Amino acid sequence: MTEKARYAVIGNPIEHSLSPRIHAAFAEQTGESLVYERLLAPLEGFRETLEQFFDDGGAGLNVTVPFKQQAWEMADRHQPRAARAGAVNTLWRENHGILIGDNTDGAGLVRDLRVNNDVTLAGARVLVLGAGGAVRGILEPLLAAAPAQVVIANRTLARAEEVRDLFADTGSLAASTFAALVGPFDVIINGTSASLQGGLPPLPEGLTNPATVCYDMMYSQTETAFNGWARQQGVALRLDGLGMLVEQAAESFVQWRGKRPQTEPVMAMLRPD
């Protein structure tokens, strides 16, 4: 009997991760033989945990907080969409042990917006809140969708300008503080983690109109603080990051197994109406 290919999601903390359920559903759906587990890495022991996993025959890893930057640094080669992101969420080994790093977050976000929710990004004015690794991970695929402009807003202007300059050749990008923002925007994406703790950036009035789409990259079983703010602004279409989570997992699955699973039934399983 052939041993099943072994995959895992690595992070700290990790017990909350939905990834094992998602990939188990993908495997059943596509007829692929694999196991997928959670892998807790010590905060100071990511490299050792990763190397042990692959030395023991592991086939691929998803990487979550706080290790995406370290995963990028450890990769021997980066897929184009991961090269500038400075963060990797998908790893696998190719011939002779070469460690390949990819970032599927942006592709997952864009697919969730365009395919699952019929949001038009081409020609749109898009606001992205935050300038950390999560935002860097989505910018290249987002800009490839040809929005008219993407504005990166951050508490510290210099940080937003740093991200703007890094991706300046890929599309129309601007940097701003929160206070200096002038709306309205067609799409607002929250790339900060504050809303899960009930916090929000200090956002000025006038950023939305009734047709604005608000998207929180964080997922939650209850309304996030950002989507609560969007509701108060009268925004009708408010989305959290569950769809992005499932779609980025599907992108990883394609890299590992060469098959694209259907995501709709998996999202319905994770969040039944």
Side-chain angles (χ1 to χ4, degrees), residues 16-19 22 196 216-222 224 240-246 271:
H16 66 287
S17 175
L18 296 174
S19 293
I22 293 169
L196 280 185
D216 197 330
M217 287 169 58
M218 304 297 148
Y219 68 89
S220 173
Q221 295 297 334
T222 56
T224 67
D240 74 5
L242 182 69
M244 175 181 170
L245 176 73
V246 175
R271 185 154 55 199

Side-chain angles (χ1 to χ4, degrees), residues 1-61:
M1 182 176 172
T2 306
E3 189 174 337
K4 290 184 176 181
R6 181 175 165 232
Y7 297 89
V9 57
I10 183 170
N12 187 329
I14 201 62
E15 64 276 359
H16 66 287
S17 175
L18 296 174
S19 293
R21 290 182 66 191
I22 293 169
H23 283 274
F26 288 167
E28 182 177 5
Q29 183 191 118
T30 58
E32 292 293 291
S33 179
L34 60 86
V35 293
Y36 190 108
E37 59 205 30
R38 297 178 184 90
L39 189 59
L40 178 68
L43 291 175
E44 302 301 323
F46 173 71
R47 175 181 290 272
E48 294 77 10
T49 307
L50 180 149
E51 290 176 344
Q52 187 67 55
F53 174 83
F54 283 112
D55 288 347
D56 289 344
L61 282 174

Side-chain angles (χ1 to χ4, degrees), residues 50-248:
L50 180 149
E51 290 176 344
Q52 187 67 55
F53 174 83
F54 283 112
D55 288 347
D56 289 344
L61 282 174
N62 284 132
V63 184
T64 188
V65 291
F67 299 125
K68 291 184 181 184
Q69 183 177 347
Q70 281 181 261
W72 187 91
E73 293 165 354
M74 285 187 64
D76 300 309
R77 196 166 77 231
H78 300 101
Q79 297 293 86
R81 61 190 174 187
R84 259 191 288 209
V88 153
N89 76 333
T90 305
L91 290 165
W92 67 95
R93 271 186 178 170
E94 288 193 347
N95 298 336
H96 310 296
I98 295 171
L99 190 64
I100 311 299
D102 196 1
N103 192 316
T104 65
D105 284 332
L109 168 70
V110 169
R111 187 174 175 86
D112 189 39
L113 281 167
R114 294 206 298 194
V115 177
N116 299 336
N117 293 287
D118 201 28
V119 174
T120 299
L121 292 173
R125 187 166 188 244
V126 180
L127 170 61
V128 179
L129 304 175
V135 167
R136 285 171 51 151
I138 66 165
L139 275 180
E140 200 155 314
L142 182 61
L143 288 160
Q149 184 187 46
V150 173
V151 178
I152 301 163
N154 196 59
R155 290 181 192 275
T156 309
L157 180 61
R159 187 93 183 271
E161 290 174 335
E162 180 184 321
V163 177
R164 176 201 63 192
D165 294 347
L166 183 63
F167 292 90
D169 62 318
T170 62
S172 176
L173 267 174
S176 177
T177 60
F178 296 126
L181 287 169
V182 177
F185 291 89
D186 301 304
V187 179
I188 303 178
I189 299 168
N190 179 34
T192 73
S193 59
S195 81
L196 280 185
Q197 285 76 48
L200 272 180
L203 300 175
E205 296 294 320
L207 297 184
T208 70
N209 59 38
T212 299
V213 176
C214 284
Y215 194 104
D216 197 330
M217 287 169 58
M218 304 297 148
Y219 68 89
S220 173
Q221 295 297 334
T222 56
E223 185 179 66
T224 67
F226 171 73
N227 280 342
W229 169 85
R231 176 171 45 77
Q232 291 165 3
Q233 306 306 304
V235 171
L237 186 53
R238 308 178 302 275
L239 305 164
D240 74 5
L242 182 69
M244 175 181 170
L245 176 73
V246 175
E247 292 293 351
Q248 65 80 23

